[in-house]
Amino acid sequence: MSRTIGVIGLGHVGITTSFNILTKGLADTLVIFDTKAGLAEAESYDLRDALGGLNTYTEVLYNDYAALKEADVVIFAAGDISAILGGDRNSEIKTSKLAVDQVSPQLNASGFHGVLIDISNPCDVITTYWQEKLNLPKTQIFGTGTALDTYRMRRSVADTLDVNVDDVRGFSIGEHGETQFPAWSTVRVNNQPILEMDGIDYDGLSEAARLGGWKIFNEKHYTAYGIATIATELALAVCSDAKRVFPVTCFDEDYGFCIGHPAVVGRKGILSNPPMTLTDDEKQKYAKTAQSIKDTYDKLKALD
């Protein structure tokens, strides 16, 4: 079956994601978009130049919304990283909302009926906004959420305990932002619950995971590889109907908007939400992070 994936927004994250999709051979057709038509065209040629060294073939198109009618996945990576002020992802809210307002009518008009994955910040809020703007079920719209925060938590634990990062399992949940937190009750190291291990500095590990992105951003002024890898994994999970659990931002029926938590991802987007057995402290933190998302969402709606 032919696979079509679209990537909207060709900043550092969007083009890195596009390159991942191309080199991994995940799509038969890759459609890339940017408001700068010249950039979109140039990137399409640059990507096509790589085809000679690959053992797969991908047709690369640019700025063609009609080509998304039968697309399996659209990844939304538009935004303005320069809008981040003082270490606050939420400062992108105005530019990200504007981008959704510009793109959503064109996506609806194209007849797109696949799965939309949001990367743009503030991720939970923008994903919730996408669910208002697109003519799609909420389950077909989700965001990368705390998947990157989870990667950073796992890396921090692996570095501290000198284990392989692949042998650290568990989730960070909540807002993709300052109130996200590792749900330590879900974390296992070499198949041992981390809460049963001695000498663990949970506060230190939580802070290292939270600040991991800012350490990169402060020097590079952007992050790309981690989040692009996650977006690629999610696109593959949809296209292959993997039924794989990721900590993504998706609709939480108890709160009425999108929050990062474990969900099963497959062909139709969010297939189910496994129950979370959290400690009382984690439940309080989840309620706090939900309030933070709601406050930011209220700010977005005030921009109308």
Side-chain angles (χ1 to χ4, degrees):
M1 183 175 62
S2 179
R3 294 175 173 179
T4 298
I5 298 176
V7 178
I8 299 176
L10 299 179
H12 298 291
V13 174
I15 197 56
T16 304
T17 302
S18 300
F19 183 69
N20 283 352
I21 291 167
L22 185 86
T23 56
K24 290 177 179 292
L26 301 188
D28 299 288
T29 302
L30 173 63
V31 194
I32 61 174
F33 296 81
D34 200 88
T35 54
K36 299 174 183 176
L39 174 63
E41 182 179 20
E43 293 288 18
S44 73
Y45 277 98
D46 202 5
L47 290 169
R48 288 164 60 190
D49 283 348
L51 291 173
L54 304 177
N55 58 9
T56 57
Y57 179 78
T58 302
E59 182 181 18
V60 182
L61 307 176
Y62 70 93
N63 284 9
D64 183 358
Y65 277 97
L68 297 180
K69 182 176 182 180
E70 300 299 329
D72 301 272
V73 179
V74 167
I75 298 169
F76 185 74
D80 181 5
I81 195 69
S82 66
I84 293 182
L85 303 173
D88 182 8
R89 294 178 182 87
N90 293 339
S91 55
E92 286 190 85
I93 188 170
K94 187 174 183 179
T95 54
S96 293
K97 178 183 182 298
L98 178 61
V100 174
D101 288 339
Q102 292 172 338
V103 169
S104 55
Q106 298 179 85
L107 263 185
N108 283 327
S110 75
F112 170 66
H113 54 275
V115 172
L116 183 129
I117 301 172
D118 178 77
I119 296 176
S120 298
N121 283 320
C123 188
D124 308 276
V125 168
I126 295 301
T127 303
T128 303
Y129 191 52
W130 268 117
Q131 292 182 347
E132 291 185 14
K133 301 294 284 188
L134 281 191
N135 301 327
L136 291 174
K138 287 182 171 63
T139 51
Q140 288 178 223
I141 302 169
F142 63 90
T144 48
T146 49
L148 181 55
D149 304 291
T150 295
Y151 271 17
R152 289 171 177 157
M153 176 272 290
R154 291 173 60 202
R155 174 172 55 80
S156 297
V157 171
D159 289 348
T160 300
L161 300 183
D162 192 25
V163 299
N164 191 300
V165 67
D166 202 42
D167 292 320
V168 180
R169 298 291 175 178
F171 306 105
S172 290
I173 60 176
E175 173 191 31
H176 177 54
E178 296 309 294
T179 62
Q180 59 83 22
F181 64 97
W184 295 118
S185 63
T186 70
V187 177
R188 303 177 75 88
V189 181
N190 291 338
N191 206 34
Q192 179 182 0
I194 196 171
L195 292 177
E196 295 179 1
M197 302 175 71
D198 296 327
I200 303 296
D201 179 7
Y202 296 107
D203 290 339
L205 287 173
S206 297
E207 192 71 354
R210 185 181 70 82
L211 295 177
W214 296 120
K215 184 175 181 179
I216 299 166
F217 181 85
N218 289 338
E219 295 297 328
K220 289 180 61 173
H221 307 299
Y222 68 93
T223 66
Y225 303 131
I227 189 61
T229 298
I230 288 161
T232 305
E233 280 192 284
L234 290 169
L236 176 60
V238 172
C239 289
S240 61
D241 195 24
K243 301 180 178 67
R244 181 180 166 190
V245 175
F246 292 88
V248 295
T249 187
C250 54
F251 192 72
D252 186 310
E253 293 186 356
D254 291 336
Y255 287 93
F257 47 83
C258 294
I259 308 175
H261 61 275
V264 179
V265 176
R267 183 75 185 167
K268 291 296 184 180
I270 303 301
L271 304 182
S272 63
N273 292 274
M276 293 188 294
T277 305
L278 303 178
T279 66
D280 289 342
D281 179 62
E282 289 167 348
K283 290 176 182 177
Q284 291 177 4
K285 289 180 178 178
Y286 193 76
K288 177 182 177 181
T289 199
Q291 186 61 50
S292 178
I293 294 169
K294 182 181 184 304
D295 291 345
T296 306
Y297 184 71
D298 289 343
K299 292 177 183 178
L300 179 142
K301 298 301 289 184
L303 295 173
D304 290 337

